[in-house]
Amino acid sequence: YLKNYVDAWTIGNMSVFYKNSIIITASALVFVVVFAAMISFGLVKLRWKGSGLCMLMFSMGIVIPVQMVLIPLFTIYNKTGIINTKFCLVLTYIGFHMSLAIYLFAGYIRSVPDEILEVAVMDGCSVYTMFLKVIVPMMKSAAATVLVVSFFAIWNDLIFSMTFVSSTAHKTLQTGLLYFQNE
């Protein structure tokens, strides 16, 4: 019955859950894509001592299991007073999806020939201009890949939203659907 959908939307607070999921997912995706692209460029194309070790540390972040950090993160968020907010979810998603995004961006940036960057430097580009005007337009397909992979992982996440958020005003769609199903 169509009335069941209307009841679920109004009585079950689905509009609030949708809004929260959209805000949290969009915020986390913007930060993940922007920061991961800049970090990857700095690690791959700018030559500095320790960049290989730093890239290794970011790559090792992919294998950290979520369950291992739930209690320490909950303790930190509780002591800082950001538990039960959208900010703690956005911060957690940024931290957990940054490693994979950096890995994917770095793989793409490695395929960009150094000669293109050398020509940009000869034309008078600074590092920032080179990144914004040369690298970013070439990374559209890598950014799309990172966006899709991260979007589905963040949108479908249940464990972080159940652990860090207990208020109905800040729950995401997945948590809201779980509680709605139980009702």
Side-chain angles (χ1 to χ4, degrees):
Y1 296 105
L2 191 58
K3 186 180 181 311
N4 291 342
Y5 291 102
V6 173
D7 289 343
W9 190 261
T10 56
I11 297 170
N13 290 330
M14 289 299 156
S15 61
V16 173
F17 301 146
Y18 264 107
K19 182 186 76 163
N20 290 341
S21 289
I22 290 170
I23 290 170
I24 290 169
T25 303
S27 302
L29 286 177
V30 166
F31 282 106
V32 165
V33 169
V34 170
F35 290 156
M38 290 189 290
I39 291 169
S40 300
F41 175 71
L43 289 174
V44 173
K45 290 297 180 183
L46 303 179
R47 309 281 192 257
W48 51 279
K49 190 175 184 178
S51 63
L53 179 64
C54 192
M55 184 65 191
L56 179 67
M57 298 301 276
F58 276 117
S59 297
M60 287 174 53
I62 297 171
V63 298
I64 295 175
V66 172
Q67 296 83 359
M68 191 172 93
V69 297
L70 278 177
I71 294 173
L73 278 178
F74 185 86
T75 305
I76 291 168
Y77 291 161
N78 197 24
K79 285 183 180 178
T80 57
I82 62 171
I83 198 78
N84 206 18
T85 62
K86 293 180 188 117
F87 178 69
C88 73
L89 287 177
V90 171
L91 191 63
T92 305
Y93 293 142
I94 291 170
F96 267 89
H97 293 280
M98 191 66 75
S99 294
L100 181 62
I102 289 171
Y103 182 76
L104 292 172
F105 275 128
Y108 185 80
I109 291 174
R110 274 191 199 98
S111 69
V112 174
D114 289 335
E115 289 79 15
I116 294 175
L117 302 179
E118 291 169 3
V119 169
V121 169
M122 289 173 64
D123 283 343
C125 286
S126 67
V127 174
Y128 306 110
T129 308
M130 182 180 5
F131 175 72
L132 290 173
K133 302 222 175 183
V134 177
I135 295 293
V136 170
M138 295 170 62
M139 290 185 358
K140 289 179 185 172
S141 61
T145 303
V146 169
L147 278 171
V148 168
V149 168
S150 296
F151 172 80
F152 283 114
I154 293 170
W155 186 268
N156 292 324
D157 177 65
L158 183 63
I159 193 163
F160 288 134
S161 60
M162 281 186 62
T163 305
F164 301 139
V165 176
S166 60
S167 169
T168 305
H170 301 297
K171 286 184 189 206
T172 60
L173 182 62
Q174 298 301 325
T175 312
L177 285 174
L178 182 69
Y179 288 115
F180 181 75
Q181 178 184 4
N182 289 338
E183 290 181 13

